[in-house]
Amino acid sequence: MLSAPIAGSLLFAVVVWYVCAVGAVTSSKEVLRATQLPCFLCFTQNLTGCICCLARSYGEATVPMSAVYRPLVLKTGLAYALGFLLTNASIAAMRASVAETVKSIEPVSSVLLAGMCLQEGFPRPRELVGVLLAVLGVITASNSDSSANLPGISYALLSTMCFSLRGMWSREIQEAEGEDASPAPSSAALFYRVCQISACAGLACSLFLDGLTEVLSVLGRAGVFPVLLLNGILYYLYNQASFMVLQQVPLVTHALLNVLRRLLIIVFTAVWFGDALGYTRVFGVTVAFCGFGLFAVSYTHLRAHETPEHLVCRLLLEKKKKKKQRQD
């Protein structure tokens, strides 16, 4: 049982995580309704993340990084940038609640990627039932909404793959052993570098696709800059709060809290923007999140109770695969 101070700090972190996540998605939609510039929004989100990282932990964030980790960090940053771009494009193309419903499938794509690339094993029957329920629920909820369209759904699905790749490569960075015995970058340093790369990619895409004139004209509109700044700060706080919660609870609990976070975002954005919540859509969202909950609990419970023998076998398989990839 958690002590009162620890329980209080955990509750505070969860509240900040949820509030900032809801505020980040809602403000993103508000910005995109006013500007229709998803690439520029990606730039401002990650630029604000860089500034917040420097303000919070300048010394740790700017520690020089060994050349061994740079290729993985670059891939992680580009995947993160593309994930933000596609997420913003999806929110711009359809209702935010629909985009978040489709993006809720991210845990499934993460596990499938880990199974294909890290030899972690594919879902068991109970997890496959969860996947099936989740997919059917997402399809039902999306088809019942008039704003859902193929480009928007495609952007949302691709963004989940990008964020799954980001998570997989981030893990590889933490587990990698540098040839010069240099330590892996800390979470603060990694997040700063990833935001740095994503900000540069977002700026390049914005200037190429939108043009400097359009960007400057958008910034000149009344009320746009404060919302952009607020959006970036909320995204940074929501990422940091999520990490704080993960440090204090088991994986199973964090997975369930993440499922609830998605559900809260969907309901809040639907109410905020006046989206109709028909019976078919409510049924689809309910089925989807039952599936996500079943999948998350089953998979993370398996990992939480992994025996030392299974853990050694899994790590040896991962090490063998990485060695083979380097040789190729």
Side-chain angles (χ1 to χ4, degrees), residues 69-83:
Y69 302 104
R70 288 174 188 168
L72 269 177
V73 172
L74 178 61
K75 289 196 298 184
T76 304
L78 291 175
Y80 193 61
L82 188 56

Side-chain angles (χ1 to χ4, degrees), residues 42-55:
C42 172
F43 164 66
T44 58
Q45 287 167 335
N46 286 284
L47 177 62
T48 308
C50 285
I51 296 171
C52 290
C53 278
L54 292 175

Side-chain angles (χ1 to χ4, degrees), residues 50-326:
C50 285
I51 296 171
C52 290
C53 278
L54 292 175
R56 183 173 181 266
S57 52
Y58 177 83
E60 186 180 357
T62 56
V63 170
M65 188 178 300
S66 170
V68 175
Y69 302 104
R70 288 174 188 168
L72 269 177
V73 172
L74 178 61
K75 289 196 298 184
T76 304
L78 291 175
Y80 193 61
L82 188 56
F84 264 104
L85 288 171
L86 291 168
T87 296
N88 293 338
S90 175
I91 293 174
M94 56 189 184
R95 289 172 177 154
S97 56
V98 180
E100 285 299 314
T101 302
V102 178
K103 276 172 58 61
S104 299
I105 207 166
E106 183 181 334
V108 179
S109 64
S110 297
V111 173
L112 293 177
L113 274 175
M116 290 186 292
C117 302
L118 300 179
Q119 296 183 348
E120 292 192 357
F122 287 95
R124 298 172 301 167
R126 185 168 57 179
E127 293 157 11
L128 288 174
V129 171
V131 171
L132 181 61
L133 286 173
V135 171
L136 289 176
V138 168
I139 291 173
T140 303
S142 300
N143 284 340
S144 66
D145 192 280
S146 59
S147 74
N149 54 74
L150 184 58
I153 293 174
S154 300
Y155 296 149
L157 288 173
L158 288 172
S159 73
T160 65
M161 294 300 295
C162 290
F163 286 125
S164 296
L165 284 171
R166 182 272 320 259
M168 186 181 72
W169 286 330
S170 296
R171 179 181 159 187
E172 287 188 9
I173 291 169
Q174 298 300 325
E175 295 178 352
E177 296 179 2
E179 297 176 0
D180 54 354
S182 58
S186 66
S187 57
L190 180 59
F191 188 68
Y192 171 67
R193 300 295 181 187
V194 165
C195 285
Q196 204 175 36
I197 294 167
S198 299
C200 292
L203 179 60
C205 290
S206 180
L207 292 177
F208 178 75
L209 297 174
D210 306 322
L212 181 60
T213 304
E214 180 66 20
V215 169
L216 292 176
S217 68
V218 165
L219 286 176
R221 296 178 191 172
V224 171
F225 182 76
V227 179
L228 281 171
L229 181 61
L230 175 64
N231 176 261
I233 293 173
L234 288 173
Y235 261 107
Y236 170 78
L237 290 175
Y238 129 65
N239 276 285
Q240 295 302 305
S242 174
F243 182 72
M244 287 174 61
V245 173
L246 183 58
Q247 287 180 315
Q248 299 182 59
V249 299
L251 281 173
V252 176
T253 305
H254 191 270
L256 283 174
L257 289 172
N258 211 21
V259 170
L260 292 174
R261 175 186 66 85
R262 291 278 189 194
L263 184 58
L264 180 63
I265 290 174
I266 290 168
V267 173
F268 183 87
T269 52
V271 173
W272 180 268
F273 293 108
D275 302 341
L277 285 173
Y279 291 113
T280 305
R281 188 173 175 199
V282 171
F283 173 75
V285 171
T286 303
V287 170
F289 279 90
C290 286
F292 292 134
L294 176 63
F295 177 84
V297 170
S298 179
Y299 182 77
T300 52
H301 184 271
L302 172 66
R303 273 307 178 80
H305 293 82
E306 189 174 41
T307 64
E309 292 79 10
H310 290 161
L311 175 62
V312 170
C313 290
R314 179 169 61 81
L315 293 177
L316 285 173
L317 284 171
E318 290 180 13
K319 188 173 182 181
K320 182 179 178 181
K321 183 168 185 179
K322 290 175 186 176
K323 184 178 179 180
K324 184 178 179 182
Q325 288 175 342
R326 285 196 296 266

